Amino acid sequence: MQQPPPFFRDAGAGPGVVCLHSNASSSSQWRGLMERLSPNFRVLAPDSYGAGKSPAWPNQRPLRLHDEVDLLEPVFALAGEPFVLVGHSYGAAAALVAALARPQRISALVLYEPTVFALLDAESPPPNQAEGIRAAVHQAGAALDAGNPARAAEVFIDFWMGTGAWARMPEARQGPIAAQIVNVRDWAGALFGQTTPLQVYAGLPMPVLYMTGKDSPASSLGVARLLTRTLPHVEWVEFDGLGHMGPITHPERVNDCIARFLETRFLPRG
C-alpha cells in the first residue's frame, strides 16, 4: 500500500523554501516565518512522521533520517528547483541528509542547531558531549515504559529548554507534545544512526546559514563545533540569550536573521 503523503502548509509565491520542524513540534512552528517570507517566496512547511497531521512511521525497522526525507519528496517537488531548505534541530538534521542526497536541487541551507549526534560518537567514543541527550532519552523512555508520557515529555522539554520549562508550558501545548513523545526512541535512533562521516559534509556546495544559541546544551553545540568548521560555505550566527529552542521561544529574532540571509541572496536588488 502506498504511503500517505505528509501534511504541509503552503503560502506565497516565488523561489521555493521548505521548512522542517524540530522534534515534539510540527509545521505550525514556522507560521511566523511563512508570514514573513511569503510576499517574496513560496514557503512550504511539512509535518514529519508522527507529527502534526502526518502519518506515523509505518514500519517495524528503525526510522532513519533518509526515511523522513523520502516522506517529504512530494513537498520538495512542489517547491521547484532549486529550493532552499530551512531546518531546526531534528528538521535541520534531515535537511542536511536531503542536501547530501540532492545537492543540485538545494540552493541554500538554513540550519538552527542540527542534532546529528552520531558525529559526536564518531569523533570520540562515549562518554562525550552527547551524554546529556543520551541520558534524557533514556529517562524519557523509562517514563514511557512506566506509562507516564507526561513525565517523559517533561524530561525531554526540560533538557532542551531548562528545568521547569515543561511546568510553565500552557496545557494546550503540553498535550500535543505528550502525544508525540512516544516517538522519542525513534528520534534518537535516527540521529545517532546517521553515520555519514564528517568529511562528507565538506562536499556540500551551497551556502549555509548555521545558527546557534549561546545558552544551548553541550550536545547540540558539540555538533555545531564540528559542522561549522567542516561546511565549506558556512555563515555562523550565534544568538546571545537564546537556547536550542530559539526558533520557537524567540521567533522574531531568528526569523529576521533567516529573512535577511535569503533576501540578500535570492531577491533582485532594486
Side-chain angles (χ1 to χ4, degrees):
M1 185 173 64
Q2 188 174 9
Q3 173 67 25
F7 171 84
F8 63 93
R9 302 169 189 271
D10 187 354
V17 179
V18 179
C19 303
L20 309 183
H21 63 82
S22 63
N23 287 142
S25 184
S26 72
S27 57
S28 64
Q29 82 166 70
W30 296 117
R31 285 180 295 190
L33 182 63
M34 295 182 78
E35 182 177 351
R36 173 69 186 270
L37 296 180
S38 59
N40 297 304
F41 298 88
R42 183 181 184 184
V43 191
L44 301 108
D47 289 337
S48 63
Y49 273 117
K53 299 178 182 179
S54 280
W57 172 239
N59 297 325
Q60 293 300 311
R61 69 170 177 81
L63 174 69
R64 292 293 180 256
L65 288 174
H66 68 80
D67 297 313
E68 298 280 14
V69 172
D70 289 345
L71 173 72
L72 303 180
E73 180 54 41
V75 181
F76 295 161
L78 287 174
E81 293 188 19
F83 61 91
V84 176
L85 263 179
V86 177
H88 171 214
S89 190
Y90 185 85
L96 279 168
V97 170
L100 288 172
R102 306 158 168 80
Q104 74 284 354
R105 298 176 67 184
I106 311 299
S107 55
L109 283 172
V110 176
L111 310 172
Y112 195 104
E113 296 191 14
T115 46
V116 192
F117 300 125
L119 293 174
L120 297 174
D121 283 354
E123 180 193 34
S124 61
N128 53 36
Q129 284 183 289
E131 294 315 295
I133 185 59
R134 223 187 312 266
V137 170
H138 176 76
Q139 294 168 24
L144 287 173
D145 293 343
N148 192 346
R151 172 57 184 161
E154 179 180 26
V155 168
F156 189 77
I157 293 300
D158 282 8
F159 172 76
W160 286 118
M161 300 184 70
T163 302
W166 174 257
R168 294 190 296 270
M169 189 176 291
E171 289 186 13
R173 287 185 60 196
Q174 287 182 343
I177 294 173
Q180 281 194 52
I181 204 66
V182 296
N183 301 307
V184 68
R185 289 185 174 116
D186 281 342
W187 300 335
L191 296 169
F192 281 99
Q194 179 56 35
T195 55
T196 303
L198 178 63
Q199 61 268 26
V200 174
Y201 295 94
L204 287 175
M206 69 287 294
V208 179
L209 173 62
Y210 198 119
M211 297 171 284
T212 59
K214 189 170 284 188
D215 299 336
S216 295
S219 296
S220 55
L221 293 182
V223 176
R225 171 179 55 83
L226 297 174
L227 284 173
T228 54
R229 74 186 190 198
T230 301
L231 292 163
H233 309 292
V234 65
E235 176 185 336
W236 181 18
V237 175
E238 182 180 60
F239 291 98
D240 286 329
L242 268 63
H244 181 70
M245 301 306 291
I248 293 175
T249 61
H250 296 79
E252 296 84 3
R253 290 180 64 186
V254 175
N255 293 346
D256 283 349
C257 184
I258 295 172
R260 286 195 301 271
F261 178 81
L262 296 183
E263 289 164 2
T264 299
R265 285 159 179 79
F266 299 106
L267 294 185
R269 297 182 182 182

